[in-house]
Amino acid sequence: MRDDPHEALPAVSDDRSPDLRVGAFQGVRAARRNELAEDYVELIAELIHMQGEARPVDIAASLGVKVPTVSKTLDRLSREGLITRAKYRSVFLTEEGRALAKECRRRHEIVLRFLISLGLDPETAERDAEGIEHHVSERTLALFSAFANRS
Amino acid sequence: MRDDPHEALPAVSDDRSPDLRVGAFQGVRAARRNELAEDYVELIAELIHMQGEARPVDIAASLGVKVPTVSKTLDRLSREGLITRAKYRSVFLTEEGRALAKECRRRHEIVLRFLISLGLDPETAERDAEGIEHHVSERTLALFSAFANRS
DNA sequence: GCGGATTTATAGCCTTGTCTAACATTTCGC
DNA sequence: GCGAAATGTTAGACAAGGCTATAAATCCGC
Ligand SMILES: [Mn+2]
Ligand SMILES: [Mn+2]
Ligand SMILES: [Mn+2]
Ligand SMILES: [Mn+2]
């Protein structure tokens, strides 16, 4: 078979049990459903910290999407109890939103510091951290933390 | 301010430039659009390798989703030139699909081996790797590889 | 405090990804 | 090789996340 993806690689994962993998995929799908909300609340917290308020126009500029996209997503976050908003006003985090933001910022920081301590340049580290942060378990975070502190 | 997410944390990322962050978010959104296709082709390659063929029912069981979900996604992958399929028959990878599968398997292996070499248990490593693999740059992979080999 | 610039909201379109229900085809045991 | 079981397809619902176009509200400079 030409170009078999399974040619001569040390097969760490070839013998993983099927149902274990199902769980992994289900976990990843669950994580994916929260990614955007996590990025939003983390960003909103940062904007409030930095600028005093979080306006849709600034959220949109930071994320690189259009304002109506932000508006629609904010509606969902509001429905889900993570933010409060009044028409034509800037956005606030609920208690729950602040808690999530804090957790996200912590994860983001740990992943970022870890990648940098591994030797990665800060720009790439930031890009990778922005994606990885949503997929690291608490155990992995502990190991990342330990490594970064120890090096 | 009660429970400010920005309380007293070593602020590695507080001074990151705004436009740098926009790029990070854009990159992550791009990566997110490919995640599912990557998981599918990697899995299809593995099923073909292990079972001789990749049937929708097995893909569905492995991913933990329903068969019609798989069917619809396979239509997209076919449209995108990653697989070929005939009605009521199992699925094949195109050249392009095989190339992507190989790349994904490589990333998956590297991330998994790295996490395990860091000290993570295999189950958690598998779960985290399944999500992280889609968000690691080539640079990060190189560092992961080096670390795993060195330890 | 008016009027133009900026910001926000709404409506509507498109794609993706999930599901269930119903139907079609293939496979398998006998 | 028949009929039931298994598998695959299709249709249609729904939510999310992106967009553009348009309308409404707010803000700001004068
Ligand atoms: Mn992120
Ligand atoms: Mn983040
Ligand atoms: Mn994956
Ligand atoms: Mn994978």
Side-chain angles (χ1 to χ4, degrees):
Chain A
M1 184 167 292
R2 294 245 101 277
D3 215 10
D4 179 358
H6 288 257
E7 53 180 42
L9 256 184
V12 174
S13 61
D14 265 358
D15 56 347
R16 62 196 172 193
S17 92
D19 26 336
L20 211 122
R21 194 180 41 184
V22 176
F25 280 126
Q26 287 170 338
V28 171
R29 274 201 308 283
R32 281 174 189 159
R33 282 199 308 272
N34 298 320
E35 284 179 321
L36 201 65
E38 291 179 358
D39 283 339
Y40 267 75
V41 297
E42 189 188 351
L43 175 59
I44 289 166
E46 186 179 319
L47 286 171
I48 289 172
H49 180 70
M50 296 296 205
Q51 335 245 273
E53 63 176 352
R55 302 185 310 161
V57 69
D58 295 323
I59 297 173
S62 299
L63 293 175
V65 300
K66 301 301 179 183
V67 177
T69 298
V70 168
S71 195
K72 198 186 278 192
T73 301
L74 291 177
D75 284 341
R76 171 171 74 90
L77 299 186
S78 173
R79 244 189 297 131
E80 291 173 356
L82 293 170
I83 66 170
T84 60
R85 59 197 307 235
K87 271 199 175 185
Y88 296 100
R89 308 258 68 116
S90 61
V91 177
F92 299 91
L93 292 171
T94 62
E95 272 307 310
E96 190 186 342
R98 263 192 300 276
L100 181 58
K102 191 172 179 175
E103 182 193 320
C104 291
R105 177 174 151 83
R106 170 179 162 267
R107 285 205 307 257
H108 189 117
E109 268 318 304
I110 291 176
V111 172
L112 182 63
R113 293 203 319 137
F114 170 75
L115 291 175
I116 289 174
S117 75
L118 239 197
L120 198 61
D121 64 286
E123 291 81 1
T124 309
E126 181 60 45
R127 290 178 88 97
D128 286 10
E130 200 55 77
I132 292 173
E133 59 176 353
H134 311 281
H135 299 277
V136 280
S137 60
E138 206 50 53
R139 276 184 193 178
T140 300
L141 280 176
L143 291 167
F144 280 12
S145 257
F147 180 91
N149 288 336
R150 202 162 311 271
S151 68
Chain B
M1 184 167 291
R2 292 246 102 280
D3 215 9
D4 179 358
H6 288 257
E7 56 182 39
L9 258 186
V12 174
S13 62
D14 265 358
D15 57 347
R16 62 195 173 195
S17 92
D19 26 337
L20 211 121
R21 193 180 42 184
V22 177
F25 280 125
Q26 287 170 338
V28 171
R29 273 200 308 283
R32 282 174 189 160
R33 280 198 310 272
N34 298 321
E35 284 178 322
L36 202 65
E38 290 179 357
D39 284 341
Y40 268 74
V41 296
E42 189 188 352
L43 174 60
I44 289 166
E46 186 178 320
L47 287 171
I48 289 173
H49 180 69
M50 298 296 207
Q51 333 246 275
E53 63 177 351
R55 302 185 310 162
V57 69
D58 295 323
I59 298 173
S62 300
L63 293 175
V65 300
K66 302 301 180 184
V67 176
T69 299
V70 169
S71 194
K72 198 187 276 196
T73 301
L74 291 178
D75 284 341
R76 172 171 74 90
L77 299 185
S78 173
R79 244 190 297 131
E80 292 173 354
L82 293 169
I83 67 170
T84 59
R85 58 195 310 232
K87 271 200 175 183
Y88 296 99
R89 308 258 68 115
S90 60
V91 178
F92 299 91
L93 292 171
T94 61
E95 272 306 310
E96 191 185 341
R98 265 193 300 276
L100 181 58
K102 191 171 177 177
E103 183 193 319
C104 291
R105 177 173 151 84
R106 172 178 160 265
R107 285 205 307 258
H108 190 117
E109 269 317 304
I110 292 177
V111 172
L112 182 62
R113 295 204 316 137
F114 170 77
L115 290 175
I116 289 173
S117 75
L118 240 196
L120 199 60
D121 65 288
E123 290 81 0
T124 309
E126 182 59 45
R127 292 179 87 97
D128 286 11
E130 199 55 76
I132 292 173
E133 59 176 354
H134 311 281
H135 299 277
V136 280
S137 60
E138 207 49 52
R139 278 185 192 178
T140 300
L141 280 177
L143 291 165
F144 280 13
S145 257
F147 180 91
N149 288 336
R150 200 161 312 269
S151 69

